[in-house]
Amino acid sequence: MVVELVSVGTELLLGNIVNTNTQFLAEQCALLGLSMYHQSVVGDNEERLAEVIRTALGRSDVVILTGGLGPTEDDLTKEVCAQVMGFDLKEDAHTKKRLEEYFKNSIYKNITDNNWKQVMVPEGAIVLDNDNGTAPGLILEKEGKAAVLLPGPPGELIPLFKNQVFPYLKKLQPEVIRSQMVKICGVGESQVEDRLLDLIDQQTNPTIATYAKTGEVHLRVTAHAKSEEEAKRLVKPVVKEIKSRFGDYVYSTKEEESLEMAVVRLLQKHELTVTTAESCTGGLLAGRIVNVPGASDVFREGFITYSNKAKRKYLDVSKSTLKKYGAVSEQTAREMAVGGVFAADCDVCVAVTGIAGPEGGTEDKPVGLVYIATCMKEKVTVKKYQFKGNREKVREMAVVRALDLLRRSILGNY
Amino acid sequence: MVVELVSVGTELLLGNIVNTNTQFLAEQCALLGLSMYHQSVVGDNEERLAEVIRTALGRSDVVILTGGLGPTEDDLTKEVCAQVMGFDLKEDAHTKKRLEEYFKNSIYKNITDNNWKQVMVPEGAIVLDNDNGTAPGLILEKEGKAAVLLPGPPGELIPLFKNQVFPYLKKLQPEVIRSQMVKICGVGESQVEDRLLDLIDQQTNPTIATYAKTGEVHLRVTAHAKSEEEAKRLVKPVVKEIKSRFGDYVYSTKEEESLEMAVVRLLQKHELTVTTAESCTGGLLAGRIVNVPGASDVFREGFITYSNKAKRKYLDVSKSTLKKYGAVSEQTAREMAVGGVFAADCDVCVAVTGIAGPEGGTEDKPVGLVYIATCMKEKVTVKKYQFKGNREKVREMAVVRALDLLRRSILGNY
């Protein structure tokens, strides 16, 4: 079963809004095990919209159209789709009654004329009542193809989809799909694929998809089968094999678990408290840790010591270290981490000092040079990194590597 | 001149990520005055990708393709596009040298074999050096049509587009387009539109486009004309009118200037130093300030005081205040801001305390309740906010409002 998405709206072509509906719908369709090969966006233009609908219906079984169902003149989706599929529009008594009810309870007392176009429905279409707006959703079926029309506002689209379209599509899909994530940090995308080349080459069912995130690689292993059990049985050995190849570079196999969540979970498990001592990242590292609900179990305070004076004042970095080696050095990173543990009276500290740029680089210490240190149970680990990219990228990479070093320091100590 | 966007990547079809590149590119193309009628997404599949490229080149003058330029086997964009347009691939010595340099400075010592495919370039293509990744951008020109190929990661795509593709597209466009940004913080999108309704209704040239960002609204006033001077002359009075309607809600009229840049510029102008005292934002506010190159002029240290104990230890918030009013209260926010100025010995402090959720809300203090305070020249301002959305959204909104309150506090004191 192949499904395709068509978003209708000139505001998308002008870049006025991000198309989040498409991500939502794509994820839901993947969850249903439907194949999706195309998504497209077209403006509020009759001719081009008709052409896009014709193409989509030609190559896919189900076409989900979003937007262009409202009361205004440039809302054309229903009219054009009905025309392309050969349906006449007819007043729908049920929808008319709902529209009158809607306006009776609304702050707008009068129903403006243009609203009446929303009660016109293609003959024989399935009408999907919209509890959050005036335009109903519609399903048009013809010759084994279906067009699903949904209003554009996410607050209307999402509940309509979940409550009415999801069950409709589920009935069309005979197979079960199951997928599992494997999240890796500390290995580059190309290296990950290199080490999995044999598995990727021979993949049919399950398949392995790789997703590069900043400083991370996510792998999704997906199997389709006749039953949930069979799909699980197909996924399991592949995930196991990947985990054995990457060892503790794998930080999670949970879809919704981010790197910082994995770190906080590990700290919770070992009943450890952590603090952060940040120079170039300026709070972003702590900000990531605090992203995790319940971070207060393990994180109580953090230090943003951007100036040398602050490094001395809060973290007791020695004047002579700063003078002799500089703020961006192995020695300073080490003293920051050790000082952080003492100052915050906690179990582990992760410290970051580096040159984020664009200014401040030298031949010896170029932009992108970052030292990250952890201090835990009197054991100090310092790593030197040379990141590429602009100020933002260097700082983002530093945060990811700091979280990862923290994670490994805990694992290494247990 | 008609431009069209094609995003390549199965991860988009699976809904793993939101397609933010498309919004960025659509906005930039609108800025250039280019017409856009279609956007599409296709997976990492040779046949379908070829078909989509053929269709796009058939109906548009310029096709911008994003994604699928990386080192892995399913990165096919360059190969397929070259084939469709009839170009051979050839090793590019310049790109090869850059790739070797990249890996020399990277933590990954070995260049895995699959990386070498990135040095193969369609013969005669314009190579766009990528400073933030390994895959270069490319422009292929043939028979009055052009394909622009850009890497998918936004951190690579955005600088490549701004520095190299924007000037290229600008040259293709015969009319002069001039636009100016007006960036507003502290007024909602619908309110902005409401107050500009008369201007928006009568717009033809220049046009006013609104873009909603987290906690901000950006307005772009765009005029097209035969000369730079004429376009400028059209834009100027409209920008002036908008500024007069929104007063100091307008924080910048510079395209490149972010809210934190405007804040740092203002602090520099008045020779003020700032510190941050953060609870629920946990470092994100300081992280935004440190985003700005040269932030060290105005920012030296920041406090992340997530626990009550830390609020007392570093910011001298009184035990009785915490007990009587709680950590999320006007009183605590006030004492945090005052304490921050003293502890960091600086001119101004901005403090944030709130309930980011999902846990921790009560009937009196629901999730999303945030107090933000500034202390400057002994004047303390505290504002109460009730934000909507998940933990991430609440924290993001708190950071934006904190930056804005800091900005207004400085303006109010001068």
Side-chain angles (χ1 to χ4, degrees):
Chain A
M1 182 70 57
V2 179
V3 64
E4 166 157 3
L5 306 180
V6 177
S7 311
V8 186
T10 302
E11 70 277 21
L12 292 165
L13 296 177
L14 291 172
N16 291 10
I17 51 169
V18 177
N19 193 347
T20 54
N21 286 341
T22 291
Q23 192 225 355
F24 167 77
L25 293 170
E27 199 179 337
Q28 294 288 313
C29 290
L31 195 61
L32 282 158
L34 300 164
S35 299
M36 184 179 294
Y37 302 135
H38 294 94
Q39 296 169 352
S40 47
V41 178
V42 63
D44 306 311
N45 172 285
E46 200 171 327
E47 200 179 314
R48 284 189 287 268
L49 177 55
E51 182 59 37
V52 165
I53 294 173
R54 261 190 294 271
T55 303
L57 284 169
R59 65 192 175 190
S60 302
D61 304 302
V62 178
V63 179
I64 303 177
L65 292 119
T66 56
L69 295 183
T72 71
E73 281 200 12
D74 56 2
D75 289 313
L76 297 164
T77 307
K78 180 179 61 190
E79 291 76 5
V80 174
C81 193
Q83 192 199 321
V84 168
M85 294 180 79
F87 288 97
D88 287 327
L89 294 177
K90 206 184 147 182
E91 189 177 291
D92 183 52
H94 168 75
T95 302
K96 190 179 177 188
K97 206 177 140 202
R98 283 183 61 90
L99 189 76
E100 285 164 347
E101 288 286 324
Y102 184 94
F103 277 96
K104 215 163 69 187
N105 298 322
S106 111
I107 47 167
Y108 310 110
K109 292 284 168 259
N110 304 316
I111 311 188
T112 54
D113 279 353
N114 52 9
N115 271 295
W116 294 115
K117 102 197 234 309
Q118 297 175 108
V119 309
M120 300 299 286
V121 164
E123 263 193 286
I126 303 169
V127 177
L128 312 172
D129 290 345
N130 178 359
D131 292 330
N132 303 290
T134 53
L138 295 163
I139 301 177
L140 283 66
E141 294 171 324
K142 195 163 198 174
E143 294 160 11
K145 305 271 179 168
V148 180
L149 280 59
L150 297 171
E156 302 178 32
L157 177 140
I158 293 171
L160 261 173
F161 186 90
K162 284 194 171 168
N163 300 329
Q164 300 180 69
V165 182
F166 191 96
Y168 171 83
L169 293 175
K170 200 172 171 149
K171 263 188 267 170
L172 301 180
Q173 177 60 5
E175 278 205 309
V176 176
I177 299 285
R178 186 162 174 101
S179 82
Q180 182 155 8
M181 269 298 197
V182 184
K183 299 186 175 182
I184 294 170
C185 189
V187 189
E189 191 191 10
S190 60
Q191 280 191 305
V192 168
E193 298 216 338
D194 217 49
R195 286 205 225 168
L196 294 177
L197 210 58
D198 57 318
L199 295 181
I200 292 172
D201 273 355
Q202 74 193 32
Q203 68 180 0
T204 46
N205 185 27
T207 54
I208 303 170
T210 60
Y211 303 96
K213 314 275 165 180
T214 301
E216 303 183 28
V217 180
H218 296 182
L219 300 170
R220 189 195 289 275
V221 181
T222 309
H224 54 97
K226 288 216 173 63
S227 72
E228 184 78 16
E229 290 66 38
E230 197 189 330
K232 267 191 197 173
R233 203 174 43 72
L234 286 164
V235 167
K236 207 175 165 186
V238 178
V239 169
K240 200 177 159 194
E241 177 62 27
I242 295 171
K243 283 173 80 174
S244 85
R245 291 196 191 183
F246 291 97
D248 66 11
Y249 286 107
V250 174
Y251 73 80
S252 184
T253 53
K254 296 192 186 106
E255 183 82 36
E256 63 295 333
E257 189 165 69
S258 62
L259 181 57
E260 56 263 37
M261 282 180 189
V263 167
V264 167
R265 176 172 50 85
L266 204 60
L267 288 161
Q268 284 169 330
K269 184 181 158 194
H270 295 294
E271 296 184 348
L272 297 168
T273 54
V274 68
T275 191
T276 49
E278 300 181 68
S279 189
C280 64
T281 51
L284 295 182
L285 171 58
R288 279 283 288 267
I289 294 172
V290 175
N291 269 348
V292 183
S296 56
D297 291 350
V298 300
F299 179 85
R300 280 139 206 192
E301 59 194 70
F303 303 93
I304 305 170
T305 53
Y306 204 47
S307 69
N308 281 357
K309 201 174 150 191
K311 288 179 186 73
R312 289 173 54 202
K313 182 169 150 193
Y314 296 101
L315 303 170
D316 202 27
V317 175
S318 81
K319 202 171 176 174
S320 70
T321 298
L322 288 166
K323 202 175 166 189
K324 196 167 166 191
Y325 303 105
V328 180
S329 64
E330 192 189 317
Q331 290 79 1
T332 296
R334 175 182 297 270
E335 291 188 23
M336 285 171 74
V338 174
V341 166
F342 280 93
D345 187 21
C346 64
D347 300 309
V348 47
C349 175
V350 53
V352 186
T353 180
I355 301 160
E359 307 295 319
T362 63
E363 205 170 308
D364 277 2
K365 296 183 176 181
V367 167
L369 175 69
V370 176
Y371 289 91
I372 302 176
T374 56
C375 173
M376 183 184 172
K377 293 190 168 183
E378 290 169 23
K379 191 181 162 196
V380 184
T381 311
V382 191
K383 297 265 184 197
K384 180 183 174 179
Y385 299 89
Q386 181 61 52
F387 300 120
K388 287 271 172 186
N390 62 14
R391 183 177 180 87
E392 205 182 327
K393 178 89 179 184
V394 167
R395 295 170 74 226
E396 263 182 40
M397 284 298 292
V399 168
V400 173
R401 287 285 178 269
L403 287 168
D404 195 48
L405 188 65
L406 173 57
R407 192 178 68 85
R408 288 164 175 286
S409 299
I410 302 165
L411 289 174
N413 274 304
Y414 283 92
Chain B
M1 182 72 56
V2 178
V3 65
E4 165 157 4
L5 306 180
V6 176
S7 311
V8 185
T10 302
E11 70 275 22
L12 292 164
L13 296 178
L14 290 171
N16 290 18
I17 50 169
V18 177
N19 193 350
T20 53
N21 285 340
T22 291
Q23 191 224 357
F24 167 77
L25 292 171
E27 191 180 341
Q28 293 289 314
C29 289
L31 181 64
L32 282 159
L34 301 165
S35 300
M36 185 179 295
Y37 301 134
H38 294 94
Q39 297 168 351
S40 47
V41 179
V42 62
D44 307 309
N45 171 286
E46 201 172 326
E47 201 179 312
R48 286 189 287 269
L49 177 55
E51 184 58 38
V52 166
I53 294 174
R54 263 190 294 270
T55 303
L57 283 169
R59 66 193 174 190
S60 301
D61 303 302
V62 177
V63 179
I64 303 177
L65 293 120
T66 56
L69 293 185
T72 71
E73 283 203 8
D74 57 2
D75 289 313
L76 297 165
T77 307
K78 179 179 62 189
E79 290 76 4
V80 173
C81 193
Q83 194 200 321
V84 168
M85 295 181 80
F87 288 97
D88 287 327
L89 293 177
K90 207 183 145 184
E91 189 176 292
D92 184 51
H94 168 75
T95 302
K96 191 178 177 190
K97 207 176 140 201
R98 283 182 61 90
L99 190 76
E100 285 164 347
E101 288 284 325
Y102 184 93
F103 276 96
K104 214 165 69 188
N105 298 323
S106 117
I107 49 164
Y108 311 113
K109 292 286 168 254
N110 304 315
I111 312 186
T112 55
D113 279 352
N114 52 8
N115 270 295
W116 294 114
K117 99 196 239 305
Q118 297 175 106
V119 309
M120 299 299 287
V121 163
E123 263 193 286
I126 303 170
V127 177
L128 312 171
D129 291 344
N130 178 357
D131 292 329
N132 302 291
T134 53
L138 294 164
I139 301 177
L140 283 67
E141 294 172 324
K142 196 163 196 174
E143 293 160 11
K145 304 271 179 167
V148 179
L149 281 60
L150 295 172
E156 302 179 30
L157 178 140
I158 293 171
L160 261 173
F161 186 90
K162 285 195 173 167
N163 300 329
Q164 301 180 69
V165 182
F166 191 96
Y168 171 83
L169 294 174
K170 200 169 172 154
K171 263 190 268 171
L172 301 180
Q173 178 66 0
E175 270 206 313
V176 176
I177 301 282
R178 177 149 184 114
S179 84
Q180 180 153 12
M181 269 296 196
V182 184
K183 298 186 176 182
I184 293 170
C185 190
V187 189
E189 192 190 8
S190 61
Q191 278 190 300
V192 168
E193 294 203 349
D194 218 48
R195 284 204 225 168
L196 294 177
L197 211 57
D198 57 321
L199 294 182
I200 291 172
D201 273 356
Q202 73 194 32
Q203 67 180 359
T204 47
N205 186 24
T207 55
I208 303 170
T210 60
Y211 301 92
K213 312 275 167 184
T214 302
E216 303 183 28
V217 180
H218 295 182
L219 299 170
R220 174 174 276 134
V221 181
T222 308
H224 53 97
K226 288 216 175 61
S227 72
E228 185 77 19
E229 290 65 39
E230 197 189 331
K232 265 191 198 175
R233 201 176 43 73
L234 287 163
V235 167
K236 206 176 166 186
V238 179
V239 169
K240 198 178 160 191
E241 177 62 26
I242 295 171
K243 282 173 80 173
S244 86
R245 292 195 191 183
F246 290 97
D248 67 10
Y249 286 106
V250 174
Y251 74 79
S252 184
T253 53
K254 298 194 184 103
E255 183 82 33
E256 297 302 324
E257 190 166 67
S258 63
L259 182 57
E260 58 263 37
M261 282 181 191
V263 167
V264 168
R265 176 173 49 84
L266 204 60
L267 288 161
Q268 284 169 331
K269 184 181 158 193
H270 294 295
E271 296 184 349
L272 297 168
T273 54
V274 67
T275 191
T276 49
E278 300 180 69
S279 189
C280 65
T281 50
L284 294 182
L285 171 58
R288 278 283 288 267
I289 294 172
V290 175
N291 269 348
V292 184
S296 55
D297 290 351
V298 301
F299 179 85
R300 280 139 205 190
E301 59 195 71
F303 303 92
I304 305 170
T305 54
Y306 203 48
S307 70
N308 282 358
K309 203 174 148 190
K311 289 179 186 73
R312 290 171 54 202
K313 183 169 149 193
Y314 296 102
L315 303 171
D316 203 28
V317 175
S318 81
K319 202 171 175 173
S320 69
T321 299
L322 289 165
K323 202 176 167 189
K324 195 166 169 191
Y325 303 105
V328 180
S329 64
E330 193 190 317
Q331 291 79 1
T332 297
R334 174 183 298 273
E335 290 188 23
M336 284 171 75
V338 174
V341 165
F342 279 94
D345 187 22
C346 63
D347 301 309
V348 47
C349 176
V350 52
V352 186
T353 181
I355 301 160
E359 306 295 318
T362 63
E363 206 171 308
D364 279 1
K365 296 183 177 180
V367 167
L369 174 68
V370 177
Y371 289 92
I372 301 175
T374 55
C375 173
M376 183 185 172
K377 292 189 171 183
E378 288 167 25
K379 190 178 161 196
V380 183
T381 311
V382 191
K383 298 264 183 197
K384 181 183 174 179
Y385 300 89
Q386 182 62 53
F387 299 119
K388 293 254 177 199
N390 62 15
R391 183 177 180 86
E392 204 182 328
K393 182 88 182 178
V394 168
R395 295 170 75 227
E396 264 181 41
M397 285 297 294
V399 168
V400 173
R401 287 284 179 271
L403 287 169
D404 195 47
L405 188 64
L406 173 56
R407 191 179 68 85
R408 289 166 173 286
S409 299
I410 302 166
L411 289 174
N413 274 303
Y414 282 91

